Amino acid sequence: MLIRDATADDWAAIWPFFHQITAAGETFTFPVGLDRESGRGWWMLSAPNLTVVAVDDTGEILGTAKMNNNQHGNGAHVASASYMVDPAHGGRGVGRALVEHTLDRARAQGFRAMQFNAVAATNTHAVRLYERLGFRIVGTIPEGFHHPREGYVGLHVMHRPL
Amino acid sequence: MLIRDATADDWAAIWPFFHQITAAGETFTFPVGLDRESGRGWWMLSAPNLTVVAVDDTGEILGTAKMNNNQHGNGAHVASASYMVDPAHGGRGVGRALVEHTLDRARAQGFRAMQFNAVAATNTHAVRLYERLGFRIVGTIPEGFHHPREGYVGLHVMHRPL
């Protein structure tokens, strides 16, 4: 598996699983009805922010991450990031590799910490992965997320120093 | 004191204290060097988001607030808001009135809660006010804010149900 910066052309391969994940509405606080062009604006960031893709030996895209400063001005030293793994390629360590990559990139860019603002408490797979990688739950917004089947559930704020 | 929706023309009167407050960099995680036109984009929101002003009997603007959904999609039921009181008009209850107004407006718009993402721990006046008005600190990002004199200080996430 290789992780490289995304190019504009990658969106065609990201969109199908981006659409699958955002339309399901179970994990992200993105608009649920994003179409292909709106979705591009939400995911494909420009420098100094970044979007990367994880690809296999054949060049197929397995997952993607984006990273940006979480706040501006005197809060701009904390990064944030989001991750999507193509469900067809789950269980292969793609998510872990993407998180580790963004931690390295954030460190290289001089960020002092990484923060996730909105991790659905029901997304236990992600919460466990983040915790294994050094994040802790700083706090939980009660009923901050409206899961389509579970109803209102907590929304974690997670953080780790770099 | 009256609180009314801001009009585009109000920016001329908001800008001087908006500039004073953001340039000081002690409370907001906005870019520190915002100029007049960039600042307008950060503060003067369009429906369904809103920006209001508190005015006195002569029509002078004493302070202002903006309110928006804090997340999108399945997190869009939680509002967020920010407040600025002209330092020349501090101590008159303008901040409290603005917070109460946005709580009412958020409730009227169907939001289920209000959340502040980035309250500098050094901004004890605001923290106390928010707590008196029913907010609690959900968590604190360690060293999440770089205060120009105090150095790295905590950044609170605050929340109250509606």
Side-chain angles (χ1 to χ4, degrees):
Chain A
M1 189 189 331
L2 169 78
I3 297 180
R4 61 165 174 78
D5 286 6
T7 68
D9 288 347
D10 290 327
W11 182 241
I14 296 171
W15 164 247
F17 65 88
F18 175 97
H19 175 60
Q20 182 181 348
I21 291 167
T22 56
E26 296 178 359
T27 47
F28 276 79
T29 57
F30 287 10
V32 172
L34 285 173
D35 64 21
R36 183 170 163 147
E37 281 317 295
S38 306
R40 183 200 295 268
W42 277 77
W43 198 260
M44 303 297 277
L45 306 185
S46 305
N49 300 324
L50 62 90
T51 302
V52 299
V53 289
V55 298
D56 68 12
D57 294 346
T58 70
E60 185 174 15
I61 292 178
L62 311 173
T64 176
K66 71 179 175 78
M67 189 183 92
N68 51 275
N69 49 313
N70 192 52
Q71 299 284 351
H72 300 265
N74 289 337
H77 55 285
V78 179
S80 191
S82 299
Y83 312 95
M84 288 192 187
V85 176
D86 184 343
H89 298 289
R92 294 171 55 177
V94 178
R96 168 183 278 265
L98 286 166
V99 178
E100 288 176 337
H101 182 88
T102 54
L103 289 170
D104 289 342
R105 296 288 288 268
R107 209 176 279 112
Q109 287 194 17
F111 286 109
R112 294 169 55 93
M114 175 84 81
Q115 176 179 343
F116 306 140
N117 300 298
V119 183
T122 40
N123 192 1
T124 51
H125 178 78
V127 173
R128 272 198 302 267
L129 173 63
Y130 300 153
E131 287 180 332
R132 277 198 302 267
L133 293 175
F135 288 82
R136 71 177 180 88
I137 296 171
V138 167
T140 303
I141 307 300
E143 304 194 345
F145 189 70
H146 192 203
H147 189 283
R149 289 187 316 280
E150 307 288 335
Y152 290 101
V153 300
L155 198 57
H156 298 315
V157 178
M158 301 190 72
H159 175 273
R160 70 154 280 179
L162 292 176
Chain B
M1 188 188 334
L2 170 78
I3 298 179
R4 61 165 173 78
D5 287 7
T7 68
D9 288 347
D10 289 327
W11 181 242
I14 296 171
W15 164 249
F17 65 89
F18 176 97
H19 175 60
Q20 183 181 348
I21 291 166
T22 56
E26 296 178 0
T27 47
F28 276 79
T29 56
F30 288 9
V32 173
L34 285 173
D35 64 21
R36 183 170 163 148
E37 282 316 296
S38 306
R40 183 200 295 269
W42 277 77
W43 198 260
M44 303 297 276
L45 305 185
S46 305
N49 300 324
L50 61 90
T51 303
V52 299
V53 289
V55 299
D56 68 11
D57 294 345
T58 71
E60 186 175 13
I61 292 178
L62 311 173
T64 177
K66 72 179 175 77
M67 189 182 92
N68 50 276
N69 49 313
N70 192 53
Q71 299 284 350
H72 300 265
N74 288 337
H77 56 285
V78 179
S80 190
S82 299
Y83 312 93
M84 288 192 188
V85 176
D86 184 342
H89 298 291
R92 294 171 55 176
V94 178
R96 168 183 278 265
L98 286 166
V99 178
E100 288 176 338
H101 181 88
T102 54
L103 289 170
D104 289 342
R105 296 288 289 268
R107 209 177 278 113
Q109 288 194 17
F111 286 109
R112 295 170 54 93
M114 175 85 81
Q115 176 179 343
F116 306 140
N117 300 299
V119 182
T122 39
N123 192 1
T124 51
H125 178 78
V127 173
R128 272 198 301 267
L129 173 62
Y130 299 153
E131 287 182 332
R132 277 199 300 267
L133 293 175
F135 288 82
R136 70 178 181 88
I137 297 171
V138 166
T140 303
I141 307 301
E143 304 193 346
F145 188 70
H146 192 203
H147 189 283
R149 288 187 315 281
E150 307 288 335
Y152 290 101
V153 300
L155 198 57
H156 298 316
V157 178
M158 301 189 72
H159 175 274
R160 69 154 281 179
L162 292 176

